Amino acid sequence: MTAKYPGTAIGGRPIGTAYGSRIPVGTAMGRPMTGAVQDGAARPMTAVRAAGYSSSIARGSVFDPLGQAKGPAPPLETRNEDTPEEKIKILEKKVNDLIEESCLAHARGDLQLSLEKAKEAGRKERALVRQREQTGTADHINLDLTYSVLFNLANQYANNDMYTEALNTYQVIVKNKMFSNAGRLKVNMANIYFKQKNYTKAIKFYRMALDQISNAHNAMRIKIMQNIGVVFIHMGQYSDAITSFEYIMSESPNIKTGFNLILCYYAIGDRERMKKAFQKLICVPLGIDDDDKYIPPNDDPHANMVIEAIKNDKLHQMERERKALAEKYIMTSAKLIAPAIESSFAAGFDWCVDMVKGSQYVELANDLEINKAITYLRQRDFKQAVETLKMFEKKDSRVKSAAATNLSFLYFLEKDYDQADRYAELAMSADRYNPAALVNKGNTEFVKEDYEKAAEFYKEALHNDSSCTEALYNLGLTYKRLGRLEEALDCFLKLHAILRNSAQVMYQLANLYEMLEDPHQAIEWLMQLTSVTPTDAQVLAKLGDLYDNEGDKSQAFQYYYESYRYFPSNISVIEWLGAYYIDTQFCEKAIQYFERATLIQPTQVKWQLMVASCYRRSGNYQKALETYKDIHRKFPENVECLRFLVRLCTDMGLKEVQDYATKLKKVEKMKEIREQRVRSGRDSSARGRREGSAGSGSSSSPINTPPLRASVSRSEAKYSPVLEQGRDSGQSNHGTSAKGERLSVKLKTLPGSNEPYEASTQQEIDASYVDPLGPQMQRPKTAARKRTEEDEFADEELGDDLLPE
C-alpha cells in the first residue's frame, strides 16, 4: 500500500525545467518517480491514448488506430452442432416450426394435416425432454414449449371430432400443477362435453372454470355464465337458465343474452316478465356511433375523402352487422311474444310497436306493422292483412313501396289483376328501384300476354338488382313463350350458376334442350335433377320417355319402373309398362299393371279387356272366360267382349254360346242404327252449310286452339315475389288398330314445361278397343280337336305383333 512509503517531500524531486534534463531521482526506498521515463522513451500522453495514439508515432510509426495493418481478422469459429446443447436448440426450433405448421394447416381448413403436424410436434417434444434428462439439464426443460405442444394437440383432436383424445390431452395439462392458469382450459373441456350432449358434466366443468377465474376478468366470467345458461336451456331447466341470464343482464347486458332471456320467459309462459325482458332488450347499448358522422361536409374536400375511405371499412361493416343482428333479435322477439302477452296477437303487436317507437330502434316500428300484416296472411285473414297494409299508403316512400308490393302480391293471388297492377304501379312510383315491385308489374303484363312489355320490366328489375332470381326466372319463361329459346336458355344457365340446387331451374333447362332437339343434353340435366329430387315420379317418367324415343328400351324400362314405384297411379306409366311386358312376351307380368289401371279407372272397359287378353295369351282360357263374363255384366253393350265370349264358348264347347251370339247380333244391330243416325245428321248439316255459303264463296274456318295458361311468379316472402309456375295440361290419344290392340305408350305430356312437380290433369282415354287377334282367335289346344294346317297358318298370320307405338 502507498501508505507504507514516505511521501515525496521526504526525498528530492526531479527538477523539470527547460534548462535542465529530466533525471530520475530515486526515493529513499528506491521507488521511481511517476514522471520518470524508462529506456530513454519520451513520456506518453495519457490523455489521448484511448484514440490509439502514442508518442512513438512521431518517430516514424504509421497512424493505424483500427489495426488494419495487421491483416484480415481470423475467420469465425464454426459452431459445433455435435454438442448436446446445440442439438437441444435445433430440436426446440423444429418443435416450434411444427406447431406453427399445424396452426397454418388448420387455418387453411386442412384438419387432417394439422392433426398430423400436432402429433409430430408432440413426438419431437418428448424426444427433447428425454435428451435434456440424459444430458443432466432437466432443470432447464422449457415448460412453455410443452404447454404449447399439448394445447395445440388437444385443439386439433377437438377440431377432428376426436373428443375422447382431446379430453385426455386437456386432462394432462390441467393436472400438471407446473402450468399456470391451466384451469381455464376446463372451459374447452366443458365445450366438448356440450357437443357430446353430456350437459351435466358440461355445467360441472363450466363452474369449475368459473371458480378459477378471478373477478378481474369479468368479460370471461360473463361468457362462461352465458354458456351455463344455454346448457340449462338444453336440459329444459328454464328457471336455472333465467338465473344466469338475469345476472348477466344486470352486470353486462348484451343482445344475445336478452333474447335468450325472453325465450326462457316464453317457455314458462310468464307474460309480465316477457314484457320487462323485451323492454330491457331494446335498451341494450350497442356501442355504435350515429351514422351522421359518415355524412360528408360540403366545404372540406380532405374531410370528404377521409369519410369516403372509412365509410366501408372493416369497423363500419362490423357496426352494420351488429346493428342488423340486434334488429333481427328484436323483430324475432316481437313476433314471438306478441300473441302471448295480450289477449290477441294484434294487441300484442301494437304494444311491441309502441315500445319500439320510444327506443333507439324507432325505424323497426314500420317493419313490425308489416309483420303484423304477414301474420294475418298466415292466419288466412286476408281482409285484415289488406287493411293493415293500406295504412302505409301515406307513410314515407320506403315503407309505402314495401306495403304496396305486398298488396300487389295479395291481389295477384286473388286473381284481381287490375288491383295488382294498380298497387304495383304505386310501389314503383314510391320507389322506382324496388325490384320486387318491378317483378310484380311484369307479372301483371305476363298475365295479359303482353310478353314483350313483361320482359322489359323483368330486365329493369335485374338492372336494379342483379341478384333478383325471380326476375331472371320469369324473364326466361317470357322468352320461352316468345319462342326465343336460345335467350331463355341463357337466362336459366345464369340462374343455375346462382341457384346450384334449384330443381325448377334444372327442369327448365332440360325442357329447353328438348325443345331445341338436343335429347342428350336434356337427359343430362334430368339426371342432375334426379340427384336433387330422386323421388320425383314425373322426372323419372320423362327420363323414361326420352330414352324410349332414343330406342334404349332397357333404360326406359328402368326409369318407368322407378316412376311407377314412387307414384303407382300414373296411367301413362302403367300403360307403357304393361305394353313393354306384352312386347317382351311376359303377359303374366303385364296383368298386374292393367289390373291397377282398372282400379284407377273402373269405368274404362279398355283395361279390363286388356286383362282378359293377357290371360288368354298366357294360355289361362278359363280365367280369360271368367274375366270376359265379368266385363259383360258390367258393360253389356260392349261388342268386342261379346265377340270373344262367342269365340271362347264355341272353342270350349260351352252351351252359353247361343245366348251370347243372340246378344251380339242385337248389340251390332243397335250400333248400326246409331251410326246411320249420326251419318244422316252429318249429311244434313253439311248440306245446310253448302246451301248457306253458296252465294258468298268458300271460306275456311280457323281452327280454335286453346289458350295457354300463363305462368307467373309469385311471392311468399316479405317484399320479394317468389315464383309459381302454371301447368300445361296435355292429352294423349290412345290409338287403336283394326288388326290388333296396340297400346299407345307415348308419355302423357309432363307438367308443362312450367311446373315439373305437380301432377298433370287426368287424361280422357279412348274407350274403344279392338282385340289383337281379331275374329280369327287362336283356338285352345285340347285333346278333342287336332290342329290343322289352316290353324297353323292362322297362328302365323295373327302373331303377337303388339308393339308400342
Side-chain angles (χ1 to χ4, degrees):
M1 294 179 67
T2 56
K4 294 180 180 181
Y5 300 102
T8 56
I10 300 175
R13 298 186 61 177
I15 303 171
T17 63
Y19 298 101
S21 62
R22 296 189 180 101
I23 300 171
V25 181
T27 61
M29 301 295 295
R31 178 183 178 189
M33 297 292 293
T34 58
V37 291
Q38 298 174 359
D39 299 332
R43 180 181 178 182
M45 297 175 66
T46 56
V48 292
R49 184 175 294 277
Y53 174 81
S54 67
S55 59
S56 62
I57 295 173
R59 291 170 173 77
S61 300
V62 181
F63 180 74
D64 187 14
L66 299 178
Q68 295 178 358
K70 298 178 182 179
L76 296 174
E77 294 182 5
T78 58
R79 186 170 57 183
N80 187 5
E81 295 184 358
D82 293 334
T83 62
E85 193 61 33
E86 287 299 326
K87 289 181 178 179
I88 288 172
K89 287 182 180 179
I90 293 171
L91 201 53
E92 280 187 354
K93 187 176 185 306
K94 286 183 180 178
V95 172
N96 280 311
D97 291 342
L98 286 170
I99 294 173
E100 186 176 354
E101 290 175 10
S102 174
C103 295
L104 292 174
H106 174 257
R108 293 193 304 267
D110 193 347
L111 302 180
Q112 188 64 34
L113 179 62
S114 66
L115 179 59
E116 290 175 3
K117 293 291 183 182
K119 288 180 178 179
E120 189 177 353
R123 289 192 293 269
K124 295 282 187 185
E125 194 273 335
R126 287 192 294 274
L128 175 62
V129 171
R130 285 194 299 270
Q131 195 164 347
R132 285 274 190 192
E133 291 174 350
Q134 290 172 3
T135 57
T137 57
D139 296 339
H140 297 84
I141 291 177
N142 192 344
L143 289 177
D144 291 339
L145 185 62
T146 305
Y147 181 88
S148 300
V149 168
L150 292 173
F151 181 59
N152 181 59
L153 181 61
N155 272 334
Q156 303 311 329
Y157 275 135
N159 293 332
N160 284 272
D161 296 336
M162 300 171 67
Y163 297 131
T164 305
E165 292 84 350
L167 288 172
N168 292 336
T169 309
Y170 278 127
Q171 199 70 32
V172 171
I173 302 174
V174 171
K175 286 185 176 180
N176 194 332
K177 301 298 182 182
M178 300 179 70
F179 295 140
S180 59
N181 297 324
R184 295 187 180 186
L185 295 183
K186 291 181 179 177
V187 175
N188 294 25
M189 299 175 71
N191 290 340
I192 293 175
Y193 283 124
F194 178 78
K195 290 179 182 177
Q196 293 179 330
K197 297 185 179 181
N198 191 346
Y199 300 129
T200 306
K201 276 197 172 183
I203 288 179
K204 175 184 175 182
F205 275 84
Y206 278 134
R207 286 177 169 166
M208 289 168 65
L210 194 64
D211 293 338
Q212 296 185 9
I213 295 175
S214 64
N215 293 328
H217 302 90
N218 189 46
M220 176 70 74
R221 293 178 62 84
I222 290 295
K223 289 180 180 178
I224 294 174
M225 291 199 68
Q226 189 168 346
N227 287 2
I228 292 173
V230 171
V231 176
F232 276 130
I233 289 178
H234 280 275
M235 296 174 68
Q237 299 178 16
Y238 300 112
S239 300
D240 295 329
I242 287 170
T243 304
S244 296
F245 292 142
E246 283 181 342
Y247 173 79
I248 296 172
M249 291 301 288
S250 62
E251 293 293 326
S252 177
N254 60 78
I255 289 291
K256 189 176 291 187
T257 303
F259 179 69
N260 287 338
L261 186 59
I262 290 176
L263 292 180
C264 292
Y265 287 143
Y266 180 81
I268 63 176
D270 194 331
R271 291 187 177 185
E272 293 302 321
R273 294 170 85 180
M274 270 190 276
K275 289 183 177 181
K276 291 179 181 179
F278 185 78
Q279 290 173 343
K280 287 182 181 179
L281 179 64
I282 61 179
C283 293
V284 171
L286 293 179
I288 298 175
D289 294 333
D290 194 1
D291 286 341
D292 292 341
K293 69 180 180 182
Y294 297 108
I295 299 175
N298 297 324
D299 53 351
D300 190 352
H302 178 70
N304 292 347
M305 293 176 62
V306 172
I307 290 172
E308 285 296 326
I310 68 173
K311 188 175 289 185
N312 280 320
D313 63 353
K314 296 290 185 183
L315 181 60
H316 193 205
Q317 290 176 10
M318 186 186 72
E319 289 179 347
R320 285 202 299 264
E321 290 173 3
R322 185 182 296 178
K323 188 174 182 181
L325 184 65
E327 290 178 353
K328 176 187 174 183
Y329 282 143
I330 292 171
M331 292 288 293
T332 307
S333 301
K335 288 189 285 186
L336 178 68
I337 67 173
I341 57 177
E342 299 291 344
S343 57
S344 66
F345 88 93
F349 259 110
D350 293 338
W351 182 87
C352 292
V353 169
D354 292 339
M355 291 297 104
V356 169
K357 284 181 179 178
S359 69
Q360 56 183 327
Y361 305 99
V362 62
E363 65 273 7
L364 290 182
N366 292 326
D367 294 338
L368 281 173
E369 288 282 359
I370 291 179
N371 270 282
K372 180 180 176 181
I374 300 297
T375 309
Y376 277 126
L377 286 179
R378 290 197 181 99
Q379 296 181 353
R380 300 191 175 276
D381 192 347
F382 300 110
K383 183 178 179 181
Q384 288 291 338
V386 171
E387 289 179 1
T388 305
L389 291 171
K390 284 183 177 180
M391 291 164 40
F392 291 95
E393 291 188 17
K394 297 181 180 179
K395 294 290 182 72
D396 62 312
S397 59
R398 183 186 69 85
V399 181
K400 184 194 299 185
S401 178
T405 301
N406 284 312
L407 282 169
S408 175
F409 157 67
L410 281 173
Y411 283 119
F412 193 89
L413 291 182
E414 295 177 352
K415 297 185 179 181
D416 189 349
Y417 301 123
D418 294 333
Q419 287 286 356
D421 185 70
R422 172 175 169 268
Y423 279 101
E425 290 280 358
L426 182 62
M428 289 166 53
S429 62
D431 182 6
R432 184 68 188 186
Y433 299 100
N434 184 355
L438 292 165
V439 170
N440 283 347
K441 177 64 178 175
N443 292 345
T444 58
E445 298 298 334
F446 192 100
V447 171
K448 297 174 186 175
E449 298 184 3
D450 191 349
Y451 301 122
E452 294 288 351
K453 203 168 182 181
E456 292 299 323
F457 284 111
Y458 296 141
K459 288 179 185 176
E460 188 176 352
L462 285 171
H463 180 73
N464 294 334
D465 182 8
S466 58
S467 63
C468 184
T469 54
E470 295 86 1
L472 189 57
Y473 190 98
N474 290 352
L475 183 62
L477 290 183
T478 306
Y479 283 144
K480 195 172 173 184
R481 289 297 179 89
L482 291 170
R484 294 153 65 175
L485 301 182
E486 293 291 344
E487 294 178 67
L489 186 64
D490 184 55
C491 288
F492 286 114
L493 286 172
K494 289 179 181 176
L495 195 59
H496 178 67
I498 301 172
L499 306 174
R500 302 297 298 181
N501 295 322
S502 173
Q504 293 177 338
V505 175
M506 291 181 191
Y507 184 83
Q508 292 292 343
L509 285 167
N511 182 254
L512 283 168
Y513 276 116
E514 186 184 5
M515 294 172 71
L516 291 167
E517 298 181 356
D518 189 350
H520 297 290
Q521 281 289 339
I523 290 172
E524 181 65 29
W525 281 105
L526 286 175
M527 292 293 290
Q528 291 189 36
L529 179 54
T530 55
S531 65
V532 178
T533 56
T535 60
D536 193 312
Q538 291 288 351
V539 174
L540 293 168
K542 185 62 179 174
L543 269 170
D545 178 52
L546 289 173
Y547 276 116
D548 187 25
N549 293 337
E550 291 295 303
D552 192 343
K553 295 289 183 184
S554 60
Q555 284 285 355
F557 170 75
Q558 177 185 348
Y559 286 108
Y560 272 123
Y561 182 76
E562 287 294 312
S563 175
Y564 172 79
R565 193 162 64 88
Y566 289 118
F567 183 59
S569 300
N570 190 326
I571 289 294
S572 296
V573 174
I574 293 171
E575 185 179 8
W576 192 95
L577 288 170
Y580 175 81
Y581 279 120
I582 291 176
D583 185 34
T584 54
Q585 307 296 325
F586 290 101
C587 299
E588 298 88 349
K589 291 186 177 181
I591 291 173
Q592 61 174 324
Y593 294 102
F594 293 127
E595 285 179 344
R596 179 168 287 276
T598 302
L599 295 175
I600 297 171
Q601 294 181 340
T603 58
Q604 296 291 339
V605 68
K606 173 181 181 177
W607 310 119
Q608 300 180 44
L609 289 171
M610 288 302 303
V611 172
S613 176
C614 289
Y615 280 126
R616 185 165 47 80
R617 284 169 176 271
S618 61
N620 193 346
Y621 298 105
Q622 186 62 38
K623 188 69 175 176
L625 179 63
E626 293 174 2
T627 306
Y628 279 124
K629 287 181 178 180
D630 186 56
I631 295 171
H632 177 64
R633 283 194 296 271
K634 295 178 181 177
F635 304 95
E637 295 184 359
N638 188 273
V639 177
E640 289 80 4
C641 180
L642 286 170
R643 285 175 183 168
F644 287 114
L645 280 170
V646 170
R647 179 66 61 180
L648 272 174
C649 292
T650 302
D651 293 337
M652 297 175 72
L654 300 178
K655 298 179 181 180
E656 302 101 309
V657 61
Q658 192 60 41
D659 296 337
Y660 291 126
T662 306
K663 291 180 181 179
L664 177 61
K665 289 180 182 179
K666 290 182 180 178
V667 171
E668 286 179 343
K669 188 173 182 180
M670 292 174 61
K671 186 176 180 181
E672 289 177 1
I673 293 171
R674 282 197 296 268
E675 288 177 354
Q676 287 176 0
R677 289 176 181 173
V678 171
R679 282 198 298 271
S680 62
R682 287 177 181 173
D683 293 341
S684 62
S685 61
R687 282 196 302 272
R689 283 197 301 273
R690 284 197 298 271
E691 291 172 359
S693 59
S696 59
S698 62
S699 63
S700 60
S701 60
I703 299 174
N704 294 325
T705 59
L708 293 175
R709 281 187 62 187
S711 170
V712 295
S713 73
R714 300 196 221 165
S715 168
E716 294 180 352
K718 183 173 175 184
Y719 302 136
S720 130
V722 181
L723 307 168
E724 176 179 341
Q725 301 115 6
R727 246 185 310 173
D728 292 336
S729 61
Q731 290 184 344
S732 60
N733 296 323
H734 306 275
T736 59
S737 170
K739 183 176 180 180
E741 54 189 347
R742 295 180 181 271
L743 286 181
S744 171
V745 292
K746 292 289 184 185
L747 180 69
K748 174 177 62 178
T749 308
L750 263 163
S753 42
N754 293 333
E755 185 170 8
Y757 305 114
E758 292 185 11
S760 301
T761 54
Q762 292 292 337
Q763 302 180 40
E764 292 296 331
I765 297 180
D766 190 0
S768 61
Y769 174 86
V770 179
D771 193 272
L773 301 183
Q776 298 291 333
M777 184 187 70
Q778 180 180 345
R779 299 175 184 274
K781 297 178 182 180
T782 59
R785 180 179 181 274
K786 293 183 180 179
R787 295 177 57 81
T788 62
E789 293 181 358
E790 288 81 6
D791 291 334
E792 298 291 339
F793 177 79
D795 287 347
E796 292 177 1
E797 182 182 10
L798 301 174
D800 294 341
D801 58 346
L802 198 69
L803 298 175
E805 292 181 348

